[in-house]
Amino acid sequence: MFLIRILFRAYKLCLSPVIHWMGGPGAGCRYLPSCSAYFLEACEVHGVLRGSWLGVKRLGRCHPWGGEGLDPVPPARVIGARSSHI
C-alpha cells in the first residue's frame, strides 16, 4: 500500500499539472472524488487487487462522453453477510 501511495503522490505532483496544462480549462476529472483520489481510496477500502480493479473501471468511465458528478467508492463487502430478499 505504501508503494501505491508514493506512485499516486508522484502522479499528482508531476504528471497531473502537465495534463491540466496541456488540456486547458475543464481538463480536470469529471467526477468527485477525482480519479486519482478514487483509485487510492478504493485500494485502501478494498485492498490493492480489488481496489485497483475498481480504479481501472473508474478510469474507463472518465471520458468526455461518460458521466459526471458524485461517484463514491462502494463500501467494503462484509464476509458472511447475506442480502435479505423476501
Side-chain angles (χ1 to χ4, degrees):
M1 192 64 202
F2 179 72
L3 179 61
I4 289 177
R5 285 179 193 254
I6 288 179
L7 291 173
F8 275 100
R9 192 71 171 146
Y11 165 79
K12 287 183 121 179
L13 292 173
C14 300
L15 292 176
S16 184
V18 173
I19 291 170
H20 287 280
W21 176 76
M22 290 174 58
C29 189
R30 304 170 56 84
Y31 291 105
L32 281 173
S34 68
C35 290
S36 58
Y38 181 97
F39 203 112
L40 186 58
E41 183 181 346
C43 288
E44 289 173 351
V45 171
H46 296 282
V48 174
L49 193 59
R50 183 159 171 14
S52 294
W53 173 244
L54 289 170
V56 167
K57 285 177 35 178
R58 166 67 175 277
L59 289 172
R61 293 191 308 266
C62 192
H63 54 79
W65 305 278
E68 62 182 306
L70 186 61
D71 183 25
V73 173
R77 294 186 215 168
V78 178
I79 298 175
R82 296 179 182 242
S83 59
S84 58
H85 289 58
I86 299 176

